[in-house]
Amino acid sequence: DLGLNHVSRRWATTTHRTACCLAAIPGGADGPSGVLVGGEDYIEYVHEGMTPPPLPPGFEGAKKIPRRLISAIPRRELHPSSKGILITTITVLRQKKGKFFALAQSELGDVYKITLQVSVEDKSVVTKMTVCLLDTLPIGIGLNISKLALLFVPAEFGDHCLYQFDAIDIEGSAVTCTSEQTIAAYLKGESRASSSEDDEEDLFYASPENAAEFAPTFRPTILRNLHKVFTLDSLAPVTSILVGELAGNEVSPQLYALCGRGPTSSFRILRHGLSITELAVSELPGIPGAVFNVRDEKSGKNGKFYDRYIVVSFADATLVLSVGETVEEMGKESGFLTTEPTLACSALGNGDKGGGICQVYPGGVRHIQRGSVSQWHVPGIKKIECASANESQILIALVGGELIYFELDPLSGNLMEAATRDVGADVCSLDVGAVPKGKSRSLFAAVGCRDSTVRLLSLAPGSLLEQKSSTALGTTRPHSVALSNDLDSDTTGEITLSVGLDDGSALRAGVDPITGAISTSPSRRFLGARPVAVSRVTLQGSPATLLLSSRPWIGRGSSSGKGRHAMAPMSYAPLDHGCSFSNEAVREGIVATSGNTLRILSVGDNGGSDVVLGAEDDEAFNSNRVALRYTPRQMCLLSAKISTPGTSSAAAQSRKILLALVESDYNDFGEEEKKTMGFDGTGQLNKSSSKKKTGDSNRDVDDEAMDLDDESDDENTNMEEKKEVGDDDEEDEEDNEARVTPIRGPFPSEPGRWGSCVRLVDPADGCTTLECIEMNRNEAALCCASVRFHSRGGESLLAVGTTTGMTMNPLCHNSSHVILYRVVNGERLQLLHRTQVDDGPVLSLVHFQGRLLVGIGKTVRLYEMGKRQLLKKCELRGLPTMVKTLQAAGDRAFIGDMMQSIQYVRYDATANRLVLVAKDRSPRPITCQELLDLNTVAVGDKFGNISILRLPRGADVGAIDVTGTRALWDSSREDATPKLETLCNYHIGEVVTGMTRASLVAGGAESLIYVTVTGRVGALVPFSSREDVEFYSALEGFLRTEAPRPTGREPQAYRSYYSPVKHVIDGDLCDAYSQLPYEQKQKIAERLDRSVGEVMKKLEDTRNALL
């Protein structure tokens, strides 16, 4: 009631027992109004004051009167009749002129199309409902349809997908069930005298067996009416993470993550950096010293200038390549001097007048214009040491530090010597910058000198080569310099000076566009072991900087223009020289040299369309995906010996690092059982028959197909007849990939069924699967560990903990085992033996002093290896609930309990017993843990908290009695057990599923890397100085009041959701400083006694220390 501003219940009715989702039907002139109610096995239409549905043909005289307009959904062939299929989401798309349809998805992923048929006399009365199968998609939390025939499915777990409709009018070809068939099945059913008519109808629809009797069945296949056009990567959920440089040929470590659930499970290899697409590679006659691009004088069709030449300079020659449909070598006809190395070259003029091309070589400057060549020679015996050029300016440096500046005369098109200057030091690099858009010249030039200084000179007409500012670099020399114009939303572009240094680091500073003053707080970052070469490139239409060291990097200003600079490595081999490249096929590319090869690259997997550098929240990561069979549970590293064929000596053996993964799914069958049942997870079965069925009836959906009017039906029918049937034969591999969809396996009819396997992968070979071993019937592999028994000579073995016939509610199982495998020649797994254990499921394993420590239910047990099975040595019983995690260091073990936090245990070798030393005073449901040192452990719990716990000093002194006169009754006192100290506490807000201690930069400090159930990868970075702690504590305190709060929650209260935040700075909140308006930034910086640039530099340095 809008007048009284309140809501009152107007009407209510009962629905079937399992109803769980609603969708509104358009009303008024657009439809009959009402709602669709989705539940188990059925979809029902409900409307206020609706009359009973009409009886189906042949049942006009039936005694029972149905009161529900309801339709069953088609079921899968192998789905058990005792299990219902729940509809989880429904969405309705309203079309023009009263046309609409609905899509519904089941818990198995099957998507159904729902159409309503209205009465001819009264358009507000629905007489029939039709439900037909559309396709099988990943399980989503919603279905979003656009009017351009696109369907977006935000997945519950795994990648989110965007689909294009190929056909939507599928009622005549797809598996279909109608409300008439459903009501007819109810009327055929036997009547029960003990129940009323309404109760009898409810009981009929509440039974899954009734729906299984009459509902049509189908077998899921590849996509027939949809095809995938885009995938948005999602790591959710991440169950485990491991960090290390296992590929063997890269500089930085990779992140290995176990992701997904069920058929969408995957093993992801994450690399910090931008993905690179290699477009072309060609051999060169030698090792080049530089590479340049020369744009065409004439613009393309869209007004953009493309590159005409690629110029490659060698020690004593120049190679000129013409860029067209193919890249071809040019001779003397290009006008270039090919017998000398090229120091700089550029196309002159702005395109309206032919300014020609300039080439700078050690002996002079060559101007190529309209087929004629004019040259300027260096006076005397001096040589040009370095040079730089743009469209209208050329700056050269002679040996000894003399600078000579040339300008292009816009009237005559000739080069004119404008000014000279002696800088007093040898010049090793210089750059005149790019001409800003709408300007005729660059106003500044950067000059790097061998006296470890970089000077900024003016190129303005009134003060040519006048020094504006300089900066000292300390003990290192500049290797290369570059000036780039970062255009923000306003018209005044900020100028950035990038300097590549000889020690492998890069320096970046802002330059005042009016005065030419260099910023007093430059940002410096170490990039690699080689001197850094800097050049300008274009990324997503904005200027960027290419920095080449032992690893290529690329950086640019933030896309939001808030002052943050983003920099990320490129996931590619080391490059020597590079510059931008552009033609009609490659709009934004890079031409670079590596050794004696020339390469043309583009940033991003799809030719640059998926570049995320400079995004607001996420760092630039690229991932490789390896599909898995079941939900991954855990992984561990294995060290395997590889013997060279034909040799038997121990020296000929090498070691290989492998990864072992355990996967398992509840309510699933094993691979062999699925094949026996006739299930194909790829959906390729019946592919040809389904095409044959749908080839004639389905019609293509163009961009406007979702908005079709009633009058256009005949026109589309004629178009269907003209459609060629033979299009299916021309499907290529890309089309097949776009139609592959994950399909969940058959659902078991009884509880306690598991599908599981153990997988061995080689990280050095792109994580290819070496062997995949299926577990026995109903056996689930839940954990694994690498163990080195002293009795086996330290050989690395794989221990796998399994549970057979385990059910979740109630939690019970038939048996548990610990299985040992050895790796044979780094290629396959060999079963050594199986050991049955009692007392509970095996959820954790760890190597412990040459033995195996196993967490079994409430017991921790130590095993030694025997010939036929593992031998029990000692155990510790009576832990609170269930051992979830285990980690060991020396004679100490940290046990993570499922409900009661950490228990700290030591092993007494003299008495051969495990002694409980200390426990945590707070009950935490532990999900993961990571040892930080012998006395400190980091833990994550189910409520989204990360805590750091430490053993108090001296608490373990009396735990192990060396006198032999220990008192057994002392350990029974609860208050006598020391308690762990809580050093840090922080609320993440998501369930933390895994963590590890690692460095993401080669040689960098270690951080605590964690992953969550929603796919987030985060890090806790330790502070190393009191100054950092005080600075960030003050900054966080100011931002708690100044930073915007989208949800209105107080940041400190949120981070203290379950217990007060302690000794952890909210990095996400501090990062919000860069998003504030400049006035607020300046206000906070003044209260910190710093400048805005210094605060931004501090934030960037902390971020760079991690990545």
Side-chain angles (χ1 to χ4, degrees):
D1 189 326
L2 297 179
L4 298 177
N5 191 24
H6 80 290
V7 177
S8 59
R9 190 176 75 172
R10 167 174 159 171
W11 169 73
T13 186
T14 58
T15 62
H16 52 292
R17 178 178 56 87
T18 58
C20 67
C21 57
L22 290 170
I25 299 297
D30 296 321
S33 184
V35 291
L36 289 175
V37 182
E40 203 171 80
D41 296 321
Y42 298 95
I43 296 173
E44 181 182 3
Y45 172 75
V46 179
H47 189 279
E48 179 183 2
M50 65 181 293
T51 58
L55 296 174
F59 292 88
E60 287 77 8
K63 296 181 179 179
K64 293 187 288 187
I65 300 176
R67 59 185 179 87
R68 299 186 185 277
L69 182 61
I70 191 170
S71 173
I73 60 173
R75 298 170 63 94
R76 294 192 181 185
E77 285 184 3
L78 302 177
H79 195 78
S81 59
S82 60
K83 298 283 186 181
I85 302 175
L86 187 67
I87 295 294
T88 58
T89 180
I90 304 178
T91 185
V92 177
L93 177 69
R94 182 173 60 88
Q95 297 171 288
K96 294 180 180 179
K97 294 189 178 179
K99 293 184 65 177
F100 65 92
F101 68 89
L103 293 184
Q105 188 177 36
S106 71
E107 59 181 333
L108 303 181
D110 302 320
V111 178
Y112 305 94
K113 181 191 174 188
I114 306 161
T115 53
L116 300 179
Q117 182 177 327
V118 297
S119 171
V120 179
E121 294 82 9
D122 188 355
K123 296 292 184 183
S124 64
V125 176
V126 177
T127 58
K128 181 181 178 182
M129 178 166 54
T130 303
V131 179
C132 52
L133 176 71
L134 181 70
D135 263 321
T136 300
L137 302 179
I139 301 173
I141 59 173
L143 300 172
N144 300 275
I145 316 170
S146 79
K147 293 191 175 182
L148 296 178
L150 293 173
L151 171 66
F152 178 65
V153 182
E156 184 180 30
F157 291 117
D159 296 339
H160 314 299
C161 300
L162 181 67
Y163 297 91
Q164 175 82 46
F165 280 92
D166 291 336
I168 194 60
D169 289 341
I170 56 174
E171 284 78 6
S173 59
V175 180
T176 304
C177 185
T178 65
S179 58
E180 290 181 347
Q181 294 172 311
T182 305
I183 296 173
Y186 162 65
L187 296 177
K188 286 181 183 177
E190 297 180 358
S191 300
R192 301 186 184 185
S194 60
S195 59
S196 65
E197 193 168 310
D198 291 348
D199 293 340
E200 183 179 348
E201 188 175 11
D202 292 339
L203 290 173
F204 178 84
Y205 293 132
S207 172
E209 287 84 356
N210 293 334
E213 286 182 3
F214 68 89
T217 59
F218 65 94
R219 180 165 295 187
T221 64
I222 62 172
L223 301 179
R224 295 173 297 175
N225 304 308
L226 300 165
H227 71 272
K228 190 189 304 180
V229 294
F230 183 75
T231 300
L232 183 64
D233 286 347
S234 171
L235 303 182
V238 185
T239 56
S240 182
I241 188 166
L242 190 148
V243 180
E245 207 298 282
L246 306 182
N249 56 356
E250 299 182 18
V251 178
S252 297
Q254 305 91 39
L255 281 75
Y256 297 88
L258 302 180
C259 309
R261 187 186 70 173
T264 60
S265 301
S266 63
F267 178 52
R268 306 285 181 110
I269 305 96
L270 301 174
R271 291 174 174 84
H272 178 227
L274 299 170
S275 57
I276 299 297
T277 303
E278 191 178 80
L279 303 176
V281 179
S282 60
E283 296 285 335
L284 293 175
I287 297 179
V291 62
F292 309 96
N293 65 324
V294 179
R295 64 169 175 79
D296 201 340
E297 295 179 354
K298 299 179 181 179
S299 61
K301 296 178 181 178
N302 54 3
K304 293 184 178 180
F305 290 94
Y306 296 125
D307 290 337
R308 180 181 179 187
Y309 297 121
I310 297 175
V311 180
V312 185
S313 174
F314 297 91
D316 56 353
T318 295
L319 177 67
V320 182
L321 303 174
S322 174
V323 179
E325 294 183 358
T326 60
V327 178
E328 299 176 352
E329 182 178 350
M330 298 283 288
K332 294 182 179 180
E333 66 272 14
S334 64
F336 281 81
L337 185 64
T338 58
T339 57
E340 292 282 342
T342 298
L343 302 178
C345 66
S346 174
L348 299 177
N350 55 7
D352 53 351
K353 296 180 180 179
I357 299 171
C358 73
Q359 177 192 13
V360 182
Y361 59 97
V365 179
R366 189 178 179 94
H367 186 196
I368 308 160
Q369 186 180 24
R370 300 186 186 93
S372 62
V373 175
S374 57
Q375 295 198 123
W376 176 89
H377 294 282
V378 179
I381 60 172
K382 289 186 177 182
K383 295 290 184 183
I384 299 176
E385 191 164 4
C386 53
S388 176
N390 59 25
E391 291 91 333
S392 61
Q393 299 161 295
I394 302 172
L395 184 63
I396 64 175
L398 306 183
V399 177
E402 182 181 357
L403 297 178
I404 303 178
Y405 172 64
F406 297 87
E407 274 191 358
L408 179 69
D409 186 356
L411 299 178
S412 63
N414 298 324
L415 284 174
M416 299 172 54
E417 182 178 340
T420 61
R421 174 188 169 91
D422 194 340
V423 295
D426 285 343
V427 178
C428 54
S429 59
L430 52 83
D431 182 49
V432 294
V435 178
K437 190 174 182 180
K439 306 288 184 179
S440 61
R441 67 173 69 225
S442 171
L443 295 179
F444 300 102
V447 179
C449 302
R450 296 192 188 277
D451 59 356
S452 299
T453 62
V454 175
R455 312 179 187 194
L456 208 66
L457 307 182
S458 172
L459 298 181
S463 56
L464 284 176
L465 300 186
E466 179 183 320
Q467 181 171 322
K468 291 295 185 181
S469 59
S470 66
T471 181
L473 304 176
T475 58
T476 185
R477 293 177 177 175
H479 180 74
S480 59
V481 293
L483 288 170
S484 58
N485 302 298
D486 298 332
L487 293 176
D488 289 343
S489 57
D490 52 2
T491 56
T492 61
E494 184 180 342
I495 301 176
T496 301
L497 171 65
S498 302
V499 184
L501 305 178
D502 281 344
D503 62 358
S505 58
L507 183 141
R508 180 178 52 82
V511 177
D512 190 295
I514 306 299
T515 63
I518 299 176
S519 170
T520 57
S521 57
S523 174
R524 190 165 178 172
R525 182 169 187 174
F526 180 76
L527 301 185
R530 288 169 22 184
V532 179
V534 185
S535 60
R536 290 183 297 273
V537 294
T538 303
L539 187 64
Q540 287 185 322
S542 61
T545 308
L546 179 68
L547 305 102
L548 303 179
S549 182
S550 55
R551 188 178 186 187
W553 291 69
I554 196 164
R556 73 167 185 183
S558 172
S559 57
S560 64
K562 297 284 179 105
R564 175 176 169 179
H565 187 85
M567 182 181 291
M570 297 161 59
S571 297
Y572 197 69
L575 302 174
D576 301 327
H577 311 279
C579 66
S580 63
F581 175 77
S582 176
N583 66 0
E584 291 188 359
V586 185
R587 300 298 174 90
E588 293 179 351
I590 296 172
V591 57
T593 63
S594 178
N596 63 340
T597 59
L598 182 72
R599 302 163 187 254
I600 298 178
L601 316 169
S602 70
V603 181
D605 286 334
N606 303 318
S609 61
D610 59 347
V611 182
V612 295
L613 181 61
E616 293 304 318
D617 300 321
D618 298 337
E619 288 289 341
F621 277 87
N622 68 89
S623 66
N624 295 335
R625 186 179 188 276
V626 178
L628 303 178
R629 286 185 190 172
Y630 310 102
T631 302
R633 303 289 176 176
Q634 210 169 348
M635 61 179 164
C636 66
L637 285 174
L638 291 174
S639 177
K641 292 182 180 179
I642 302 176
S643 57
T644 307
T647 59
S648 58
S649 62
Q653 292 184 343
S654 60
R655 289 201 168 270
K656 184 178 183 181
I657 301 297
L658 302 174
L659 273 171
L661 284 67
V662 292
E663 312 165 28
S664 57
D665 265 332
Y666 186 49
N667 279 335
D668 203 355
F669 292 102
E671 195 72 11
E672 294 299 325
E673 291 177 277
K674 291 179 183 177
K675 290 182 179 178
T676 305
M677 299 167 67
F679 173 78
D680 180 22
T682 63
Q684 299 291 337
L685 293 180
N686 299 334
K687 173 183 169 184
S688 58
S689 62
S690 66
K691 281 183 184 176
K692 203 176 269 188
K693 271 196 241 174
T694 61
D696 296 330
S697 57
N698 288 357
R699 57 178 177 80
D700 283 349
V701 179
D702 57 7
D703 287 344
E704 299 295 328
M706 307 298 282
D707 285 335
L708 290 178
D709 297 337
D710 292 331
E711 290 81 357
S712 63
D713 291 341
D714 296 335
E715 182 182 347
N716 283 286
T717 306
N718 297 331
M719 292 175 66
E720 288 175 19
E721 297 173 357
K722 298 178 183 178
K723 183 180 175 183
E724 296 182 3
V725 186
D727 292 342
D728 296 329
D729 300 333
E730 301 175 1
E731 287 185 332
D732 52 5
E733 292 183 2
E734 292 184 2
D735 186 60
N736 289 333
E737 289 179 5
R739 295 188 181 277
V740 171
T741 184
I743 301 174
R744 194 209 187 281
F747 207 96
S749 56
E750 68 276 357
R753 301 301 296 261
W754 288 80
S756 181
C757 69
V758 178
R759 187 183 301 265
L760 189 68
V761 300
D762 184 5
D765 188 23
C767 286
T768 55
T769 300
L770 300 176
E771 187 173 20
C772 188
I773 300 176
E774 279 285 328
M775 292 286 100
N776 294 332
R777 187 181 180 89
N778 294 345
E779 187 174 19
L782 300 177
C783 58
C784 64
S786 173
V787 58
R788 298 175 300 280
F789 290 101
H790 289 169
S791 57
R792 293 278 298 190
E795 180 186 4
S796 182
L797 303 178
L798 174 63
V800 178
T802 68
T803 302
T804 303
M806 184 170 70
T807 59
M808 298 299 183
N809 190 19
L811 185 60
C812 59
H813 67 287
N814 298 333
S815 61
S816 297
H817 294 82
V818 177
I819 310 175
L820 278 186
Y821 296 95
R822 70 182 289 261
V823 183
V824 180
N825 201 27
E827 295 178 349
R828 61 186 181 87
L829 294 173
Q830 177 187 2
L831 176 65
L832 294 181
H833 52 62
R834 297 166 57 94
T835 303
Q836 184 168 349
V837 297
D838 48 10
D839 294 335
V842 179
L843 298 182
S844 53
L845 305 163
V846 71
H847 168 82
F848 185 81
Q849 292 190 329
R851 296 175 177 178
L852 181 63
L853 190 64
V854 185
I856 312 165
K858 299 181 180 182
T859 304
V860 174
R861 193 172 294 162
L862 191 62
Y863 283 96
E864 180 61 89
M865 185 174 180
K867 291 185 177 180
R868 293 182 178 271
Q869 65 176 17
L870 293 174
L871 307 176
K872 187 191 307 181
K873 289 301 178 184
C874 69
E875 65 180 15
L876 177 65
R877 290 178 173 270
L879 293 171
T881 54
M882 189 171 292
V883 178
K884 178 67 173 67
T885 57
L886 271 177
Q887 279 190 302
D891 63 344
R892 311 174 178 206
F894 286 88
I895 303 169
D897 190 83
M898 192 169 281
M899 294 298 292
Q900 295 295 325
S901 193
I902 292 291
Q903 320 285 318
Y904 174 65
V905 172
R906 283 189 67 178
Y907 175 62
D908 185 358
T910 57
N912 188 29
R913 68 188 185 112
L914 293 167
V915 182
L916 178 63
V917 176
K919 60 174 68 173
D920 188 15
R921 65 178 74 249
S922 301
R924 309 176 199 272
I926 300 296
T927 56
C928 57
Q929 69 178 54
E930 176 67 18
L931 277 180
L932 302 183
D933 57 39
L934 280 175
N935 299 316
T936 314
V937 63
V939 298
D941 60 40
K942 289 182 180 178
F943 298 127
N945 302 303
I946 289 182
S947 306
I948 310 293
L949 307 176
R950 174 170 288 174
L951 182 72
R953 182 173 297 177
D956 59 339
V957 174
I960 297 180
D961 187 14
V962 295
T963 63
T965 58
R966 61 187 175 90
L968 294 176
W969 53 85
D970 285 349
S971 60
S972 63
R973 291 181 54 187
E974 177 70 23
D975 58 345
T977 305
K979 300 297 188 289
L980 298 173
E981 298 176 348
T982 302
L983 298 185
C984 305
N985 192 79
Y986 187 71
H987 180 63
I988 298 295
E990 304 168 18
V991 180
V992 182
T993 55
M995 57 175 62
T996 183
R997 190 183 76 246
S999 170
L1000 298 181
V1001 180
E1006 285 188 328
S1007 304
L1008 186 64
I1009 313 298
Y1010 67 87
V1011 292
T1012 69
V1013 72
T1014 62
R1016 180 201 296 187
V1017 181
L1020 298 175
V1021 182
F1023 285 129
S1024 57
S1025 68
R1026 173 64 60 181
E1027 179 190 357
D1028 290 345
V1029 175
E1030 293 174 352
F1031 169 78
Y1032 278 103
S1033 298
L1035 178 62
E1036 183 188 29
F1038 295 141
L1039 286 172
R1040 283 174 185 161
T1041 57
E1042 298 290 341
R1045 302 178 188 174
T1047 62
R1049 303 186 70 172
E1050 207 280 318
Q1052 188 175 15
Y1054 176 70
R1055 297 303 180 187
S1056 307
Y1057 201 88
Y1058 286 94
S1059 56
V1061 63
K1062 186 177 182 181
H1063 295 164
V1064 181
I1065 302 296
D1066 190 347
D1068 291 334
L1069 180 62
C1070 293
D1071 206 38
Y1073 178 82
S1074 60
Q1075 310 298 323
L1076 296 176
Y1078 185 78
E1079 293 75 14
Q1080 283 184 277
K1081 287 184 186 177
Q1082 197 168 21
K1083 177 182 174 183
I1084 294 175
E1086 287 175 356
R1087 297 166 73 180
L1088 293 171
D1089 293 332
R1090 295 172 183 254
S1091 66
V1092 175
E1094 289 173 341
V1095 177
M1096 296 290 291
K1097 180 178 179 295
K1098 191 76 173 177
L1099 290 169
E1100 188 173 339
D1101 290 345
T1102 304
R1103 193 183 303 112
N1104 294 344
L1106 172 66
L1107 293 170

